[in-house]
Amino acid sequence: MDSQPGATPYGAPTGCPMHAKSQTSLYGPEFAANPHAVYDELRSQGPAAPIELAPGVDATLVVSHEAALRVLQNPALFARDSRRWTALATGAIPMDSPVLPMMAYRPNCLFTDGTEHLRLRKAVTESLGRLNPSRLRRDVERIGDYLVDQFIERGSADLLAEYAKLLPLLLFNQLFGCPGDIGDRLTRSMSAIFDGEDVLRANAELNECLMELVALKRRQPGEDITSWLIQHPAGLRDEELKDQLVMLMGAGIEPERNLIANALLLMLDTGLGDGDRRGTGMLVEDALDEVLWNNPPIANYATHYPTQDVELNGLTLAAGTPVLISFAAANTDPALTDARRTLSKGAHLAWGAGPHVCPAKSPAQLIALTAIEKVLNAVPDITLGVPADAIEWRRGPFHRAQAALPVRFTPAPRRASASAPAPGAQAPAPQPSATGASVPQQRQGETHRKPKGWWSSFLDVFRV
């Protein structure tokens, strides 16, 4: 859904008319480097302003807190179903546009309205409500231990690629009840989608393995979200089940990794003044709150489509045009002076508002809190490997996401998973079974066994 720096899909070719447009873009390096300067400029134009999400994709960005609430809390005038998007329906949006994976319609509770949204959302929220917080914390701690063991002997790591990114991916395999093979493919395909690598192939693999998971859980239900969705009285069809799982992963993995990484950056940044709330010694809860206020992991999203022409503080929003909420700009609205002074948890919009407010706020905060505590406790002398102002930020209109988070620390022996095979290693050679019977040998001509992925390697250590 996005790409790494240097290989961004958002650039327009040299000589393209898009280079000549003066409209503010949210996909270039300037926005990635300093988004708040862009928000300030847009705010000077009013509560909302025209922007360009990608070459040829125009939208309106709401930057006022009060106007954002008006849109989020008024589903009669502002719908979420992107089939209302006139430019897409008439073919004016390129089908290979990099924003389509985040904006194109899927039949899940993110892109539906009215009674259909209520039916799907009820199935999702009630299934998430069955999560046990103690079990969730334990799962995060085990995955965190495993990931730390993969780099603790080196004395250096990229906490984004090697920890913050992988932990949510592996956790969703756990929460969905994935067996080894399906979980490995799920991890691989979701990672490729988020990194913009062969997205069409990765999306096909994602759909395939999730349909296999749904079929498996219909036959063999367990204590997991997939089984709970299947058992829910809403009676979701297989395709609907698959699309709710895709929505849960999309809404959980990218935001969670950015929340973890951005809070870690705050806590490890020692170069800030004494008068600032940030820096070494900051509590994890305070770091998370500050990220949610100032650098929410999904900065601009919640795309709505006016059901008719709507006037918003003097600006006309045409029916069928995309209207996005800038959670980051709304949270830094100067009108919120008092709320921002205390960083009141009830005022920021990082979790959204209205009928589409995030249904997983509590588990998402618990996951981030536990993940950060785990790595800081496991590696107590961890420091940034580069100055904080040298951290690169990934391009793209929706997220506030680091490209890497390099750190240094004193090397230490592996602990929880000292005997674990490294992900990507070949499976061990066949051994006699516990009954003494010989396990079948490799077929003639078969020279390699399938390499283990992250999830299979984790399951080899923690038989869960």
Side-chain angles (χ1 to χ4, degrees):
M1 295 184 185
D2 47 56
S3 72
Q4 298 176 355
T8 176
Y10 292 99
T14 302
C16 175
M18 294 301 166
H19 283 301
K21 292 188 71 171
S22 59
Q23 186 162 281
T24 301
S25 77
L26 299 192
Y27 55 86
E30 297 84 3
F31 177 72
N34 190 1
H36 286 286
V38 176
Y39 299 145
D40 288 341
E41 192 278 328
L42 293 174
R43 195 179 290 113
S44 70
Q45 302 177 39
I51 49 94
E52 190 179 41
L53 292 172
V57 183
D58 296 331
T60 299
L61 189 69
V62 178
V63 293
S64 154
H65 188 275
E66 183 273 336
L69 286 176
R70 285 181 58 188
V71 174
L72 291 167
Q73 297 176 341
N74 196 339
L77 285 178
F78 296 96
R80 294 295 296 269
D81 189 337
S82 58
R83 289 174 296 183
R84 294 177 176 269
W85 187 1
T86 303
L88 181 63
T90 58
I93 303 299
M95 293 311 295
D96 61 351
S97 172
V99 299
L100 282 188
M102 291 284 282
M103 296 177 68
Y105 174 79
R106 283 181 182 268
N108 60 40
C109 58
L110 189 64
F111 293 103
T112 49
D113 302 296
T115 56
E116 183 66 1
H117 169 251
L118 291 176
R119 180 179 76 93
L120 296 174
R121 183 179 173 89
K122 184 177 176 64
V124 169
T125 54
E126 292 183 358
S127 296
L128 290 174
R130 296 178 65 173
L131 289 173
N132 182 298
S134 297
R135 175 185 166 188
L136 182 60
R137 176 181 285 275
R138 185 173 65 249
D139 289 340
V140 174
E141 289 177 340
R142 281 193 293 211
I143 294 170
D145 275 330
Y146 172 72
L147 294 175
V148 168
D149 272 356
Q150 308 309 307
F151 58 73
I152 196 168
E153 293 178 313
R154 297 203 313 261
S156 65
D158 174 359
L159 281 190
L160 179 81
E162 298 181 78
Y163 190 78
K165 173 182 174 180
L166 288 170
L167 189 144
L169 282 165
L170 298 182
L171 180 63
F172 269 88
N173 284 335
Q174 177 72 60
L175 297 180
F176 286 179
C178 292
D181 178 60
I182 291 178
D184 285 343
R185 290 155 57 206
L186 197 61
T187 301
R188 181 174 63 244
S189 58
M190 281 302 295
S191 181
I193 288 173
F194 281 126
D195 290 339
E197 298 173 356
D198 197 358
V199 173
L200 292 179
R201 180 205 57 77
N203 188 62
E205 181 180 49
L206 174 68
N207 289 333
E208 179 184 8
C209 64
L210 284 176
M211 290 299 284
E212 288 181 26
L213 179 63
V214 167
L216 173 65
K217 291 300 176 177
R218 284 201 184 277
R219 300 191 305 270
Q220 302 172 16
E223 289 298 306
D224 52 69
I225 290 175
T226 311
S227 300
W228 298 336
L229 283 170
I230 290 171
Q231 296 160 5
H232 193 272
L236 302 184
R237 303 182 302 276
D238 284 2
E239 282 287 336
E240 290 180 318
L241 288 161
K242 180 259 295 179
D243 282 314
Q244 307 324 301
L245 294 175
V246 170
M247 183 272 298
L248 285 170
M249 295 188 76
I253 291 174
E254 170 81 3
E256 195 71 52
R257 79 171 178 181
N258 296 340
L259 180 58
I260 293 169
N262 293 356
L264 280 168
L265 176 59
L266 275 181
M267 299 188 71
L268 297 175
D269 181 7
T270 59
L272 295 159
D274 294 337
D276 204 298
R277 297 180 67 254
R278 298 174 288 182
T280 300
M282 191 178 194
L283 296 176
V284 179
E285 293 89 342
D286 291 340
L288 290 171
D289 283 342
E290 186 150 333
V291 167
L292 292 170
W293 268 99
N294 296 321
N295 279 310
I298 297 299
N300 309 297
Y301 196 44
T303 311
H304 291 72
Y305 301 87
T307 58
Q308 61 188 55
D309 289 357
V310 178
E311 186 174 322
L312 189 70
N313 292 66
L315 177 68
T316 299
L317 305 176
T321 60
V323 177
L324 280 74
I325 305 299
S326 178
F327 303 116
N331 287 351
T332 54
D333 188 339
L336 290 177
T337 302
D338 292 338
R340 285 191 53 77
R341 186 177 295 118
T342 59
L343 293 187
S344 168
K345 295 181 177 65
H348 73 65
L349 294 179
W351 304 108
H356 285 271
V357 66
C358 177
K361 173 183 174 180
S362 294
Q365 289 180 305
L366 176 61
I367 292 165
L369 177 69
T370 306
I372 294 169
E373 289 178 340
K374 169 57 64 177
V375 71
L376 294 180
N377 289 334
V379 194
D381 66 344
I382 197 166
T383 60
L384 286 178
V386 298
D389 58 9
I391 294 292
E392 290 188 64
W393 298 88
R394 289 182 11 240
R395 299 184 194 181
F398 305 116
H399 55 243
R400 183 57 174 163
Q402 300 164 36
L405 183 57
V407 295
R408 296 190 300 262
F409 48 87
T410 302
R414 299 173 75 182
R415 304 174 305 159
S417 53
S419 61
Q426 291 182 14
Q431 300 293 327
S433 70
T435 62
S438 176
V439 175
Q441 299 296 310
Q442 285 183 206
R443 295 188 182 94
Q444 185 175 5
E446 183 180 39
T447 58
H448 296 286
R449 283 179 164 269
K450 187 176 182 179
K452 283 185 174 293
W454 280 101
W455 185 238
S456 292
S457 299
F458 173 78
L459 290 179
D460 282 344
V461 181
F462 299 101
R463 293 292 178 179
V464 291

